[in-house]
C-alpha cells in the first residue's frame, strides 16, 4: 500500500490516560514493519490530571522525517475526545485532512465543579466536520466497554482508522502489532475491540 503523501502526517490526540500514546506507538510499529521510515513524538499537558496529550506520527518511504508536523499539514487526525480533536484540528487540519474521533466528552475538573462550561457537542462536531475533508465519529469508549474493558477504546479507534480510505495500513497490518504487544485474554479483548471499531466505521461512513 503506497503512501498517498510523503511524508504522511498523522496526529493522535486526547486526554491523559486514554491510551493515545500507545495508539501512536502501534501505528509507528506497523509502518516500520512495512519498511517505512517513521518519527513519533509526543507533547504532554498535565496528563496525570486529565490534560492534553498529542502524538505526531510522520511516515516516509524515502527519507527520515522530522518529528513535528507543521501547522495545517496533518493528513489524518485520530481524536480520543471531541474538544481535544477540535483544538488540534484548528491548528493542524488542512484541505485534505481526514478526521476519525470519539464523540464522547471527557469533562475537565472545572466543568464538573461548575466553574467552567463545556461547549455544546453539536457545535464541536459541526466545526470538526467543517475543518476536515471528511470526518467520522466512532463511539470508541462505548465499543470498548461492550468488548469488555474501557481501556480498549484506543484499540477500537485504531480499528476504525484502518477502514478509512486515507489509512496507510490495513487491519491485518495493525492486528499483527497487537499480537506482538499483547497476549492471552488481553490480546483477545483487544482483538474484539479492534474488530468492533472496524465494523462501526464500515456502518458509520464518513461525513464530509
Amino acid at each position: 500500500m503506497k503512501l498517498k503523501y510523503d511524508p504522511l502526517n498523522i496526529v493522535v490526540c486526547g486526554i491523559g490516560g486514554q491510551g493515545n500514546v500507545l495508539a501512536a506507538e502501534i501505528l509507528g510499529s506497523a509502518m516500520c514493519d512495512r519498511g517505512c521510515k517513521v518519527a513519533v513524538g509526543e507533547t504532554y499537558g498535565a496528563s496525570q490530571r486529565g490534560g492534553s496529550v498529542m502524538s505526531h506520527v510522520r511516515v516516509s518511504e524515502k527519507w527520515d522525517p522530522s518529528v513535528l508536523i507543521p501547522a495545517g499539514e496533518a493528513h489524518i487526525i485520530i481524536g480520543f475526545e471531541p474538544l481535544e480533536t477540535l483544538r488540534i484540528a484548528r491548528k493542524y487540519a488542512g484541505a485534505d485532512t481526514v478526521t476519525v474521533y470519539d464523540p464522547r466528552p471527557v469533562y475537565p475538573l472545572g466543568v464538573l465543579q461548575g466553574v467552567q462550561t463545556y461547549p455544546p457537542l453539536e457545535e464541536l462536531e459541526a466545526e470538526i466536520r467543517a475543518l476536515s475533508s471528511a470526518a467520522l465519529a466512532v463511539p470508541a469508549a462505548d465499543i470498548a466497554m461492550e468488548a469488555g474493558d474501557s481501556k480498549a477504546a484506543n484499540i477500537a479507534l485504531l480499528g476504525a482508522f484502518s477502514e478509512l480510505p486515507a489509512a496507510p495500513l490495513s487491519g491485518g497490518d495493525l492486528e499483527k502489532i497487537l499480537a506482538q504487544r499483547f497476549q492471552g485474554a488481553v490480546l483477545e479483548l483487544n482483538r474484539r475491540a479492534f474488530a468492533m471499531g472496524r465494523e462501526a466505521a464500515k456502518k458509520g461512513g464518513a461525513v464530509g
Side-chain angles (χ1 to χ4, degrees):
M1 192 182 299
K2 187 173 179 60
L3 295 179
K4 184 176 181 181
Y5 305 96
D6 197 332
L8 176 71
N9 298 326
I10 303 173
V11 180
V12 184
C13 62
I15 299 299
Q18 289 187 301
N20 36 324
V21 172
L22 175 60
E25 291 174 354
I26 290 173
L27 284 176
S29 295
M31 295 305 304
C32 284
D33 270 11
R34 281 194 43 208
C36 293
K37 301 178 185 296
V38 180
V40 179
E42 285 85 32
T43 61
Y44 299 88
S47 57
Q48 291 184 342
R49 298 190 296 273
S52 302
V53 181
M54 173 179 60
S55 299
H56 290 208
V57 182
R58 307 196 76 195
V59 183
S60 176
E61 294 175 320
K62 301 175 182 177
W63 53 72
D64 291 320
S66 59
V67 173
L68 295 181
I69 296 170
E73 294 188 18
H75 301 115
I76 300 174
I77 295 173
I78 303 174
F80 288 78
E81 201 280 338
L83 184 56
E84 287 301 309
T85 302
L86 176 55
R87 186 178 67 83
I88 294 303
R90 284 173 172 170
K91 180 173 181 179
Y92 291 100
D96 300 321
T97 302
V98 175
T99 303
V100 57
Y101 69 102
D102 189 337
R104 180 177 177 175
V106 177
Y107 297 112
L109 182 59
V111 172
L112 297 175
Q113 292 175 334
V115 297
Q116 294 177 322
T117 301
Y118 193 93
L121 186 57
E122 60 271 18
E123 293 182 10
L124 296 180
E125 296 200 82
E127 190 172 350
I128 289 170
R129 290 194 298 270
L131 290 170
S132 308
S133 64
L136 178 64
V138 175
D142 294 339
I143 289 171
M145 288 293 291
E146 187 177 344
D149 190 336
S150 61
K151 294 179 181 177
N154 56 348
I155 305 302
L157 204 55
L158 283 181
F161 157 84
S162 72
E163 292 298 322
L164 297 176
L169 297 163
S170 68
D173 292 330
L174 290 164
E175 286 178 324
K176 179 181 176 183
I177 304 302
L178 295 183
Q180 295 173 0
R181 292 296 184 98
F182 306 106
Q183 55 185 314
V186 176
L187 174 59
E188 292 310 310
L189 185 149
N190 280 304
R191 280 175 168 164
R192 283 196 302 275
F194 187 82
M196 292 168 68
R198 294 184 70 183
E199 190 61 28
K202 291 176 184 176
K203 291 179 178 178
V207 180

